[in-house]
Amino acid sequence: MMGSMASEETRTMSSPHIRSSATSEARATSTRAWPTRLLVLGIVLAAVNLRPAITSLGALLEEVRDGLGMSGSVAGLLTSVPPLCFAVFGVMAPRLARRFGPGAVVCAGMAAITAGLLVRPYAGGTAGFLAASALALMGIAVSNVLMPVIVKRWFPDRIGSMTGLYSMALALGTATAAAVTVPATDLLGGEWQPGLALWSGLAAIAVLPWIPFVRRSAAPPAEQAPAPSGPAHARVERPALRITRSRTAWALAVFFGLQATAAYITMGWMAQIFRDAGVPAGTAGLLLAVTMVMGVPLAFVIPRVATRLPHQGPIVLVLGVCGLAGYAGLYFAPAAGAWAWALLLGVSNCAFPLALTMVGMRARTGAGVAQLSAFAQSTGYLISIPGPLLVGVLYQHSGGWGLPIALMAALMVPQMIVGLLAGRDRTVEDEAAR
């Protein structure tokens, strides 16, 4: 009898129906796997393209100023355009994502970056240059806001590692543009226009992996199964959070704004600080690249460490102390210790991946992350707008870099304070509901 039962079980397990079911399940798993792999590739390529529009300009700022006849104050305005665009266009990202889907919005963002970078050098005059820059920066803005949302939605159990991968790719693109722009410009004949336009090709490549996600039906694997029907499973629309009632959201927004101020001053002006100190243009571009490339390993490590800590305040303090030391070096011996100051400021600039990680940690749901990301980034970029412009004005009217560097160092202190507040273990859903 036992033998007949075993035989029956063997026949059952080897029946065509069971084999067919197992094959179907394997195919379904494979079908779900390829969109995830493609999405990871899309995230990496998108992140690589979120800063070359800015750091390539920083490396050639003197040539662009001369070519377009800009004053120091106008150049300062030019370096303030990125945070302005990020604030204005970033706040639209959640609404656009709800209407068209986040994949479609990021795909359109990559296309806008491509068009803006291609047109910008040949637009003719300062106004056209600014308008084309704004187009590229609009694409960067919406992608900036939606990256934490996509990570939370598709990889809820890997927020630290995916944010680290995304931040590492962003730092790599930032550093590459800073290091390669000047040598590439020389190879292309020495004119700054081709040197800036070449980055549109990299952006065009980033459009491709997002095309399959343009369809609004594209959803994470966890969301692809059909929901049960009936009143008990009817979809409940949750009201939007009153995000402005959350102290953590405000602390995170101010922290984001102050770190962005430091980052855009660094990207826009640091190469010029070294050049004015007697460092050759090519070396100054490499120094800026060193500052940016520090984010490649640290942007992968910091989010992973941050997600393991109940309070991210200690990381905030370490980054802030590195920033203060770097600014002190720029003030007292900009050329003599240039490589050391570039390294220290590179460590300090890793407040950006830390801020992105905290956005994902300070909300429980994907919708909460979308609201917090839009609020923190848009408000933060608004806060950061005056910084690069003020640096340009102080530089022009004081005739040196003493006052601008003192301003940069002074802003690091409140950044550390609000970073401590933003790093506390709490969520905006709890605070906004009070």
Side-chain angles (χ1 to χ4, degrees):
M1 184 175 184
M2 292 294 292
S4 64
M5 289 178 63
S7 176
E8 181 179 352
E9 182 178 351
T10 302
R11 288 194 304 270
T12 302
M13 292 297 293
S14 61
S15 66
H17 175 73
I18 297 298
R19 289 198 303 270
S20 176
S21 176
T23 303
S24 299
E25 183 177 350
R27 288 175 179 172
T29 301
S30 177
T31 301
R32 290 194 298 268
W34 80 260
T36 303
R37 297 191 187 102
L38 188 62
L39 182 63
V40 171
L41 176 62
I43 289 172
V44 170
L45 288 177
V48 167
N49 282 280
L50 293 183
R51 293 298 179 269
I54 303 165
T55 50
S56 62
L57 177 59
L60 293 174
L61 185 58
E62 185 171 313
E63 288 76 9
V64 174
R65 284 175 58 189
D66 293 340
L68 298 178
M70 292 183 185
S71 65
S73 297
V74 174
L77 176 62
L78 183 61
T79 57
S80 292
V81 168
L84 175 62
C85 290
F86 294 167
V88 172
F89 298 118
V91 75
M92 300 163 51
R95 182 177 299 177
L96 292 172
R98 287 194 298 270
R99 175 68 178 85
F100 301 104
V105 177
V106 173
C107 186
M110 293 299 108
I113 296 171
T114 303
L117 293 185
L118 183 62
V119 171
R120 178 171 72 170
Y122 306 104
T126 301
F129 190 93
L130 288 171
S133 295
L135 176 62
L137 293 166
M138 177 179 66
I140 296 173
V142 295
S143 302
N144 269 336
V145 170
L146 292 179
M147 283 299 160
V149 178
I150 290 171
V151 168
K152 181 78 170 184
R153 186 182 179 197
W154 279 78
F155 309 99
D157 56 341
R158 288 181 282 167
I159 291 176
S161 58
M162 286 304 301
T163 302
L165 179 65
Y166 153 69
S167 301
M168 185 172 65
L170 188 150
L172 181 62
T174 305
T176 301
V180 170
T181 299
V182 172
T185 301
D186 293 338
L187 288 175
L188 293 172
E191 296 294 329
W192 59 268
Q193 289 90 345
L196 290 183
L198 67 89
W199 298 105
S200 62
L202 183 63
I205 295 172
V207 175
L208 301 178
W210 289 99
I211 293 174
F213 298 96
V214 168
R215 293 179 296 108
R216 186 172 170 80
S217 59
E223 297 178 11
Q224 287 176 350
S229 60
H233 300 284
R235 182 179 177 182
V236 178
E237 293 290 342
R238 296 183 179 181
L241 291 171
R242 289 176 288 186
I243 199 77
T244 54
R245 297 182 61 178
S246 169
R247 294 180 180 179
T248 298
W250 278 108
L252 190 52
V254 177
F255 177 70
F256 200 99
L258 291 175
Q259 68 80 28
T261 300
Y264 289 109
I265 289 173
T266 299
M267 286 186 280
W269 289 108
M270 198 178 83
Q272 192 64 47
I273 293 174
F274 286 128
R275 291 177 72 169
D276 288 351
V279 176
T283 304
L286 285 176
L287 286 165
L288 178 59
V290 166
T291 299
M292 300 299 112
V293 83
M294 286 300 296
V296 175
L298 291 179
F300 188 72
V301 172
I302 287 176
R304 295 171 68 89
V305 174
T307 54
R308 290 174 169 83
L309 296 177
H311 194 307
Q312 289 74 47
I315 304 177
V316 171
L317 292 179
V318 170
L319 299 182
V321 169
C322 289
L324 290 173
Y327 291 136
L330 282 182
Y331 187 92
F332 291 108
W339 295 100
W341 319 142
L343 287 170
L344 285 168
L345 291 173
V347 174
S348 180
N349 277 348
C350 288
F352 176 72
L354 177 61
L356 288 180
T357 306
M358 289 195 288
V359 167
M361 296 177 68
R362 295 288 89 89
R364 288 196 301 268
T365 65
V369 171
Q371 265 193 272
L372 179 58
S373 181
F375 175 76
Q377 294 201 45
S378 296
T379 305
Y381 284 127
L382 278 175
I383 293 170
S384 71
I385 290 170
L389 176 59
L390 186 56
V391 165
V393 172
L394 289 175
Y395 170 57
Q396 180 172 345
H397 290 282
S398 67
W401 287 105
L403 283 177
I405 292 173
L407 172 66
M408 299 178 211
L411 291 175
M412 188 60 64
V413 176
Q415 176 179 322
M416 295 163 70
I417 294 172
V418 294
L420 286 171
L421 296 175
R424 295 175 298 174
D425 186 13
R426 55 195 64 196
T427 63
V428 293
E429 285 91 348
D430 292 336
E431 293 181 340
R434 293 174 186 171

